[in-house]
């Protein structure tokens, strides 16, 4: 720095800050702690200082995608955890989402899990009695309550338009 040589007070530093010899401008790459986070040096493979950072291939800290709480890389598909109180609290295929995709519902830990195989959408994963819509053209395409069924009860018919069991016309004995 300038014309004056300053000895670093921090042995991890290759070059230290001119105003603070304990803070590193760069870390020694041939030493135990070559990974730089801010003005500090850390061991290879160690976690970065901030929760929303990850160790890059060049042994520096990169910032996670804004949707991730913690991550293993820079893109939205590298999330390890989601901020449960944030805008994207639900985990699906290593992505943090605002809502689970069709055919999935959040479990108690905030992970999107598949609905029952009869449900197109649901309120609880894997529960055949938690359907909110049925799979059209399947063996049980009609919703009655929260259950998908093949046949509707007496006095109702399966509406392909709504995907639900609906009441017959009042003038009909059966439909």
């Amino acid at each position: 720095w300038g014309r004056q040589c300053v000895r670093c007070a921090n042995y991890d530093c290759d070059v230290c800050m001119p105003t603070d010899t304990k803070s590193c401008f760069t870390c020694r790459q041939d030493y135990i702690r070559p990974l730089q986070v801010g003005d500090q040096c850390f061991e290879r493979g160690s976690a970065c200082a901030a929760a929303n950072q990850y160790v890059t291939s060049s042994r520096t800290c990169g910032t996670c995608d804004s949707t991730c709480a913690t991550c293993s890389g820079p893109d939205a598909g590298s999330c390890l955890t989601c901020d449960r109180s944030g805008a994207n609290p639900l985990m699906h295929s290593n992505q943090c989402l605002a809502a689970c995709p069709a055919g999935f519902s959040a479990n108690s830990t905030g992970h999107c899990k598949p609905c029952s195989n009869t449900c197109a959408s649901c309120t609880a994963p894997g529960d055949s009695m938690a359907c909110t819509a049925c799979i059209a053209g399947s063996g049980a395409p009609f919703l009655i309550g929260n259950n998908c069924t093949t046949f509707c009860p007496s006095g109702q018919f399966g509406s392909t338009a709504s995907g639900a069991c609906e009441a017959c016309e009042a003038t009909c004995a059966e439909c």
Side-chain angles (χ1 to χ4, degrees):
W1 299 101
R3 295 191 163 108
Q4 184 180 12
C5 245
V6 177
R7 179 176 287 265
C8 295
N10 183 339
Y11 191 74
D12 294 330
C13 299
D14 187 32
V15 177
C16 56
M17 299 291 192
T19 56
D20 179 4
T21 59
K22 292 179 184 174
S23 298
C24 300
F25 184 72
T26 59
C27 297
R28 291 178 51 180
Q29 295 302 302
D30 62 340
Y31 193 56
I32 297 168
R33 293 178 277 276
L35 178 64
Q36 187 165 355
V37 180
D39 61 2
Q40 299 297 309
C41 301
F42 296 91
E43 291 180 38
R44 278 188 181 89
S46 65
C48 293
N52 68 337
Q53 292 183 322
Y54 66 98
V55 179
T56 68
S57 58
S58 61
R59 296 184 312 272
T60 59
C61 289
T63 302
C64 298
D65 182 82
S66 63
T67 61
C68 305
T70 62
C71 67
S72 60
D75 57 52
S78 301
C79 298
L80 297 174
T81 60
C82 305
D83 179 359
R84 293 292 304 273
S85 61
N88 298 290
L90 304 173
M91 175 69 76
H92 178 71
S93 299
N94 295 331
Q95 290 184 306
C96 294
L97 306 171
C100 291
F104 290 82
S105 183
N107 66 10
S108 62
T109 62
H111 288 78
C112 296
K113 297 293 183 183
C115 294
S116 167
N117 61 358
T118 60
C119 306
S121 60
C122 62
T123 57
D127 184 351
S128 63
M129 300 300 286
C131 300
T132 56
C134 303
I135 299 170
S138 72
F142 306 116
L143 185 68
I144 183 160
N146 288 19
N147 188 26
C148 293
T149 184
T150 304
F151 303 103
C152 294
S154 180
Q156 296 185 358
F157 71 99
S159 168
T160 54
S162 70
C165 291
E166 295 182 5
C168 297
E169 294 279 334
T171 57
C172 297
E174 284 198 32
C175 57

